[in-house]
Amino acid sequence: MPAAIAPAADLPLAGCRILDLSSAVVGPYATQVLADYGAEVIKLEQPSGDIIRWISGRSPTPGMSGKFMHMNRNKRSIALDLKTAAGRQAALRLAGSCDVFVHNMRSAAIGKFGLAFGDLRAVRPDIVYCNIVGFGSTGPYADRPAYDSILQGGTGLASLFAATQGEPRYVPYVVVDRSAALMVANAILVALLAQERARQAREIEVPMFESYAALLLSEHLYGATFEPPIGGSGDRRLLDPNARPVKTRDGHICITTNTDAQVMALFDAMGRPDLKADPRFRTAVERIDHIAEFFQIRADEIGRRDTAHWQRVLAEHDIPAMPCHTIDSLLADPHIGAVGLIERVHHPTQGTVKNLRVPVKMTGYAPSLRHHAPLIGEQTGEILREIGYDDARIQAMLARGEAHQPG
């Protein structure tokens, strides 16, 4: 059953109004996080709609892909043709009623629409203005287009697979976009907190390339961190070919042993207590130098028994382990069911859908689905009325194609 709907005024970000002109994943996911915490997010779309509506699979009615719905709940949509003077004027007026403006367009495009930082600061002197860019504005790649796969390659992420699979590969998940989205949400929250001390216009730039490069380097710069280097880059615990789900007799299981105590317990669980005295494996530092041997022994021993055996025995020894789920089997995981991560709700045009609940718990905060993911421009008339447009003017804009609302 759906969670009880929390009164909007009780939510942590109640009273914060955000105009979101972003599309695809990075911006919409960031603003969904903020919407889930109670921010009022108005999704500004062109009449053609956010591209993620169309490139992420079919839906019962057009333009409502599953991925779109999972990143755009708790938002309202207004559709304006920003190529028209009336559309741009309405967007600027709407921005003046908001605390935060977010976009992921290139600088020339956002400037052409009259929605650059200077334009918005003129109508809202304390606006928090967030530019989501592929590359930082002071570097030679500034204003280049960027997609997740491009940045997976450019940051070195794809190359890490060469160590384990023999060639570069993409992670089958838009990991750069999703990671950058959380940085966007974090930066906006920091700016809003700063506004409590001194209200002023604040411009934020979140570059996806540098942001993910910093994440990856913090993991894999490794011995090259030091000057002079005391070793090469790359964490061998992660790059060894056997640093992967471990094959059992009938499937795979995921095991991680970081502490000395966990490793000693694993040797007992595998029936190899003799290894506890092996000088190669007694301490974490020694295991780093012999990690390939450790992983090979683990693979050999785990492969002798079935998955059910290892799930039971590893749990008895308090060793971190989980089944290697598929997407489909994850839906049936008993823990996922017990905590209610997935709820079935009714969408007015898509029928019954799976909604992913917010997993965070916080005193005084009850996360809930306050509004279904919107159709393109579903609330256009409603939002234009909020900024002072009368019905005659709204109907004229709709008739001329300057605004759009589903019939």
Side-chain angles (χ1 to χ4, degrees):
M1 293 294 292
I5 297 177
D10 293 343
L11 296 172
L13 292 180
C16 177
R17 186 170 164 103
I18 299 172
L19 183 56
D20 179 9
L21 183 54
S22 67
S23 61
V25 173
V26 57
Y29 184 44
T31 56
Q32 182 206 280
V33 170
L34 301 175
D36 285 341
Y37 285 107
E40 178 192 355
V41 176
I42 298 172
K43 185 175 181 66
L44 173 55
E45 301 183 73
Q46 294 274 36
S48 57
D50 186 339
I51 191 173
I52 210 70
R53 290 178 179 273
W54 310 106
I55 65 171
S56 296
R58 297 185 180 275
S59 52
T61 62
M64 296 295 288
S65 69
K67 188 177 288 189
F68 172 84
M69 294 181 68
H70 292 310
M71 292 187 294
N72 289 281
R73 64 181 179 226
N74 290 334
K75 303 178 186 180
R76 296 185 295 159
S77 171
I78 180 172
L80 299 171
D81 186 350
L82 297 179
K83 297 182 179 69
T84 68
R88 293 193 296 273
Q89 182 183 29
L92 190 61
R93 186 165 174 173
L94 178 57
S97 73
C98 294
D99 303 290
V100 179
F101 179 81
V102 183
H103 78 92
N104 62 345
M105 302 177 71
R106 287 191 271 180
S107 60
I110 199 70
K112 181 180 178 181
F113 289 145
L115 296 171
F117 177 54
D119 300 312
L120 268 65
R121 181 170 52 183
V123 298
R124 179 72 186 231
D126 60 351
I127 192 77
V128 171
Y129 186 101
C130 184
N131 304 281
I132 306 171
V133 298
F135 306 92
S137 57
T138 58
Y141 301 160
D143 246 14
R144 286 191 184 182
Y147 289 103
D148 188 89
S149 55
I150 304 303
L151 297 176
Q152 285 199 38
T155 59
L157 177 61
S159 73
L160 298 179
F161 288 92
T164 58
Q165 299 182 21
E167 61 181 5
R169 296 288 299 273
Y170 295 136
V171 177
Y173 172 74
V174 286
V175 63
V176 178
D177 275 30
R178 299 276 185 169
S179 300
L182 297 177
M183 296 182 186
V184 169
N186 181 67
I188 290 172
L189 289 171
V190 169
L192 290 172
L193 182 62
Q195 294 291 59
E196 296 298 314
R197 294 194 297 270
R199 299 201 69 83
Q200 62 184 69
R202 299 177 190 274
E203 186 174 19
I204 301 167
E205 179 181 276
V206 182
M208 298 168 65
F209 175 59
E210 295 98 304
S211 295
Y212 199 79
L215 282 180
L216 189 134
L217 290 170
S218 69
E219 190 76 50
H220 283 290
L221 195 52
Y222 224 56
T225 299
F226 305 97
E227 296 286 353
I230 60 172
S233 60
D235 185 337
R236 286 178 288 170
R237 296 176 307 113
L238 304 177
L239 297 177
D240 188 87
N242 279 317
R244 57 184 175 180
V246 187
K247 186 172 177 56
T248 65
R249 196 164 62 191
D250 62 349
H252 292 83
I253 191 167
C254 301
I255 308 169
T256 294
T257 50
N258 284 333
T259 69
D260 294 341
Q262 289 168 345
V263 171
M264 298 304 119
L266 178 62
F267 290 152
D268 285 333
M270 295 190 308
R272 293 294 308 274
D274 56 297
L275 293 172
K276 293 195 284 188
D278 192 314
R280 297 173 298 173
F281 308 132
R282 286 178 303 192
T283 67
V285 173
E286 291 165 329
R287 285 192 299 277
I288 289 173
D289 293 334
H290 301 281
I291 198 67
E293 298 152 89
F294 171 74
F295 280 148
Q296 188 60 60
I297 291 170
R298 185 185 69 174
D300 292 343
E301 296 297 336
I302 297 298
R304 302 182 196 281
R305 307 294 292 270
D306 61 28
T307 303
H309 166 84
W310 290 116
Q311 286 185 265
R312 176 178 57 81
V313 171
L314 294 172
E316 290 171 354
H317 287 78
D318 198 27
I319 295 169
M322 280 199 75
C324 186
H325 275 311
T326 64
I327 301 301
D328 292 334
S329 69
L330 175 62
L331 299 178
D333 185 282
H335 187 87
I336 293 293
V339 300
L341 179 66
I342 301 169
E343 60 181 355
R344 285 167 175 79
V345 301
H346 177 75
H347 189 283
T349 61
Q350 308 308 303
T352 300
V353 299
K354 295 183 181 70
N355 179 57
L356 304 177
R357 296 180 62 196
V358 179
V360 174
K361 294 183 179 180
M362 183 188 305
T363 301
Y365 165 55
S368 60
L369 179 64
R370 305 189 312 282
H371 196 285
H372 60 264
L375 302 175
I376 302 170
E378 184 173 336
Q379 292 81 30
T380 293
E382 173 184 309
I383 295 168
L384 287 174
R385 288 185 197 96
E386 291 173 2
I387 58 172
Y389 283 46
D390 61 27
D391 286 346
R393 188 173 182 184
I394 293 169
Q395 290 304 316
M397 289 182 67
L398 293 171
R400 292 192 295 263
E402 297 160 343
H404 167 79
Q405 183 167 286

